[in-house]
C-alpha cells in the first residue's frame, strides 16, 4: 500500500516527464511489482504516443536476451541486433544503437525493469549503460525507467541465490539524483489487512474467532504476501480445514504459528548485526514492554540507547512508547524473538533480573511502593 497522499506510478507517468527513474520502494510483499504491471498494462492500452518496454531477468537466456526480447515485443518495427559483426559493430554496440535510436525520438519510451536487483552482472551493466546515456542532462532523450527497491537488507531471488542489497541499489541510484522519483509503499493498516484476509483470500468463507484473526494479523505485520503464505501453510498442515464450504480451525496459538512461518520479525532479526540481535533477545526476556535501563542494569548491555535507536531505524520489531519505555510490535513479535533465546542466556538474564528486583523490593518495602520497572516486568 502506497504511503498516504503518495501518487500512483501511473499518475506520475501520465505527467509525461522524461529522463526519470521511478522507484517503488518498500519491503517485499506490499504490491510494488503489481503496481508496476498495472501501470504498464494501462500505458500499453491508452498511451498511443508511448513505446513501452518490459525487461524481465531470464536465468536461462543468454546475457542480454531480456533487452533484445523487450525491443522485439515493445518496438516490433525496430531492426534487432545481429550476433555477428555488422557495420563494424559487435552485438552489444548494435543493441546500444537500437536503444539510442528508439529513446532519442520525439515519441516517448518507458522501460519497466522488473526485479532489477536480481539482474545478472552483464544485464545490470548494460542497464547502467542506458542510465548513463539517457539520464545525462546533456543528452536529449525522451525516456523514463521504472523499477522496485526492496528495503530491509539482503535480498534473495526466487531461486534462493543471493542478489544485490538495498544499499548497493541505493548507491547505484545516487549517481542520478536529479532523475530519481521515489514512491514509498508502507505496511497495510490492520483494517485493510483483515479485509484482505476475510474477503480476498477466503471470499467471506472464513469462520475463526476474532482472537484467532488478531493473532494471525500480528504475525503478518501488515504484509499481505506474508499473510497469504501463512494461510496456505495453515491449510497445508490441516490446522485450517474446510468444513461445509467454510474454513475453520480449532486452536491456534503463537507456538503453532512460529512453526508455520514465514515470521517477518524473525527475518528482520536475522538481518541485524549480532550486538543488536543479542539486545533484542534480552529485551524479550523482560517482556512485551521493557525499560531501556533494565537492559543496562541489571542485564549489563552496553550502549543500549544507541542500539535501540538503530533497531528502530531499520525494523518494525519494537516501538518506542515514551522516553525510556519500549514495546514489541505485538505479543507474537516478542514471542518469536524469545524463542531464539538460548537456555544459558535465559538462565543468566532471569537470574540477574530476579536479583535486581529482589534488592529493589527490599529497598522499597518500607514505603510500600512498587516501581514502574517491576510493573513492566509483570506484564510479560
Amino acid at each position: 500500500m502506497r504511503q498516504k497522499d503518495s501518487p500512483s506510478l501511473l499518475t506520475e507517468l501520465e505527467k509525461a516527464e522524461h529522463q526519470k527513474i521511478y522507484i517503488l520502494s518498500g519491503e517485499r510483499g506490499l504490491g510494488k511489482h503489481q503496481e508496476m504491471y498495472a501501470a504498464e498494462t494501462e500505458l500499453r492500452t491508452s498511451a498511443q504516443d508511448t513505446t513501452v518496454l518490459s525487461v524481465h531477468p531470464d536465468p536461462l537466456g543468454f546475457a542480454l536476451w531480456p533487452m533484445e526480447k523487450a525491443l522485439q515485443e515493445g518496438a516490433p518495427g525496430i531492426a534487432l541486433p545481429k550476433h555477428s559483426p555488422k557495420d563494424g559493430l559487435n552485438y552489444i554496440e548494435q543493441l546500444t544503437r537500437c536503444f539510442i535510436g528508439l529513446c532519442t525520438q520525439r515519441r516517448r519510451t518507458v522501460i519497466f525493469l522488473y526485479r532489477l536487483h536480481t539482474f545478472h552482472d552483464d544485464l545490470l551493466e548494460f542497464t547502467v549503460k542506458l542510465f548513463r546515456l539517457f539520464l545525462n542532462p546533456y543528452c536529449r532523450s525522451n525516456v523514463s525507467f521504472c523499477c522496485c527497491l526492496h528495503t530491509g537488507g539482503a535480498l534473495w531471488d526466487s531461486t534462493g541465490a543471493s542478489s544485490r542489497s538495498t544499499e548497493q541499489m541505493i548507491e547505484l541510484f545516487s549517481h542520478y539524483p536529479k532523475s530519481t522519483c521515489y514512491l514509498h509503499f508502507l505496511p497495510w493498516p490492520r483494517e485493510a489487512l483483515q479485509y484482505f484476509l476475510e474477503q480476498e483470500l477466503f471470499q467471506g468463507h472464513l469462520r475463526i474467532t476474532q482472537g484467532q484473526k488478531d493473532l494471525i494479523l500480528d504475525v503478518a505485520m501488515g504484509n499481505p504476501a506474508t499473510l497469504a503464505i501463512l494461510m496456505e501453510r495453515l491449510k497445508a498442515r490441516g490446522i485450517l480445514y474446510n468444513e461445509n464450504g467454510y474454513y475453520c480451525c480449532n486452536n491456534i496459538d503463537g507456538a503453532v504459528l512460529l512453526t508455520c512461518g514465514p515470521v517477518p520479525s524473525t527475518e528482520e532479526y536475522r538481518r541485524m548485526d549480532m550486538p543488536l540481535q543479542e539486545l533484542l533477545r534480552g529485551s524479550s526476556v523482560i517482556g512485551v514492554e521493557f525499560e531501556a535501563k533494565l537492559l543496562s542494569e541489571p542485564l549489563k548491555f552496553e550502549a543500549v540507547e544507541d542500539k535501540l535507536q538503530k533497531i528502530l531505524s531499520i525494523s518494525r520489531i519494537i516501538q518506542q512508547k515514551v522516553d525510556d519505555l519500549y514495546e514489541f510490535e505485538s505479543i507474537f513479535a516478542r514471542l518469536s524473538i524469545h524463542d531464539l533465546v538460548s537456555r544459558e542466556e535465559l538462565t543468566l538474564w532471569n537470574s540477574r533480573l530476579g536479583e535486581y528486583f529482589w534488592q529493589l523490593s527490599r529497598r522499597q518495602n518500607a514505603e510500600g511502593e512498587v516501581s514502574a520497572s517491576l510493573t513492566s516486568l509483570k506484564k510479560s
Side-chain angles (χ1 to χ4, degrees), residues 4 9 31 54 61-62 128 146 184 217 228 305 313 318 363:
K4 189 177 181 181
L9 176 59
S54 181
F62 67 86
V128 173
C146 303
H184 302 286
L217 295 175
E305 285 295 344
S313 71
I318 63 171
R363 292 196 303 268

Side-chain angles (χ1 to χ4, degrees), residues 153-329:
L155 302 169
W156 303 87
D157 66 17
S158 58
T159 65
S162 181
S163 59
R164 291 164 187 85
S165 71
T166 302
E167 290 306 315
Q168 288 174 308
M169 300 310 299
I170 291 175
E171 183 179 357
L172 168 60
F173 298 139
S174 71
H175 294 292
Y176 314 99
K178 294 182 179 179
S179 297
T180 55
C181 176
Y182 286 87
L183 303 176
H184 302 286
F185 281 62
L186 299 175
W188 289 20
R190 197 173 187 86
E191 297 77 14
L193 199 65
Q194 180 161 331
Y195 179 86
F196 177 75
L197 170 66
E198 296 171 345
Q199 303 302 324
E200 298 294 333
L201 294 182
F202 290 94
Q203 295 81 46
H205 291 79
L206 181 64
R207 283 184 176 173
I208 61 176
T209 68
Q210 186 59 47
Q212 291 170 333
K213 291 178 185 177
D214 288 340
L215 190 56
I216 289 169
L217 295 175
D218 283 345
V219 177
M221 290 179 67
N223 192 305
T226 295
L227 180 59
I229 295 171
L230 174 63
M231 300 313 291
E232 285 304 307
R233 292 187 177 180
L234 288 174
K235 287 192 286 185
R237 293 184 56 183
I239 297 171
L240 196 64
Y241 55 91
N242 191 312
E243 185 176 275
N244 299 323
Y246 288 88
Y247 279 92
C248 312
C249 70
N250 293 323
N251 295 313
I252 294 180
D253 58 25
V256 169
L257 293 177
L258 275 175
T259 66
C260 291
V263 181
S265 54
T266 305
E267 293 175 354
E268 290 185 11
Y269 164 89
R270 296 193 189 284
R271 292 195 291 258
M272 295 180 188
D273 296 333
M274 291 183 64
L276 302 184
Q277 292 181 350
E278 186 180 28
L279 188 72
L280 277 175
R281 293 199 303 274
S283 302
S284 74
V285 173
I286 298 173
V288 176
E289 290 185 354
F290 57 93
E291 292 177 273
K293 67 180 182 181
L294 291 178
L295 294 167
S296 301
E297 181 62 41
L299 296 191
K300 303 187 185 305
F301 287 100
E302 298 180 352
V304 168
E305 285 295 344
D306 290 342
K307 291 176 182 176
L308 287 172
Q309 291 304 312
K310 177 64 174 177
I311 293 171
L312 288 172
S313 71
I314 62 176
S315 83
R316 296 186 288 119
I317 298 177
I318 63 171
Q319 303 166 356
Q320 186 171 13
K321 293 190 70 175
V322 289
D323 300 329
D324 190 54
L325 185 61
Y326 296 79
E327 67 176 354
F328 282 90
E329 191 270 343

Side-chain angles (χ1 to χ4, degrees), residues 40 44 51-55 67 69-75 99 102-103 109-114:
E40 177 194 339
R44 288 187 186 277
T51 297
V52 179
L53 302 185
S54 181
V55 182
M67 289 292 177
K69 183 180 180 183
L71 289 173
Q72 189 179 76
E73 295 176 347
F99 275 95
L102 182 66
C103 298
T109 298
V110 179
I111 303 175
F112 290 85
L113 303 167
Y114 287 90

Side-chain angles (χ1 to χ4, degrees), residues 73-111:
E73 295 176 347
I78 199 168
L80 295 173
K82 304 293 184 181
H83 290 271
S84 57
K86 179 182 178 182
D87 300 331
L89 303 177
N90 62 28
Y91 174 80
I92 295 178
E93 292 167 336
Q94 293 177 53
L95 185 62
T96 303
R97 185 169 65 177
C98 289
F99 275 95
I100 292 175
L102 182 66
C103 298
T104 55
Q105 299 176 1
R106 293 185 62 183
R107 180 181 176 86
R108 182 174 64 142
T109 298
V110 179
I111 303 175

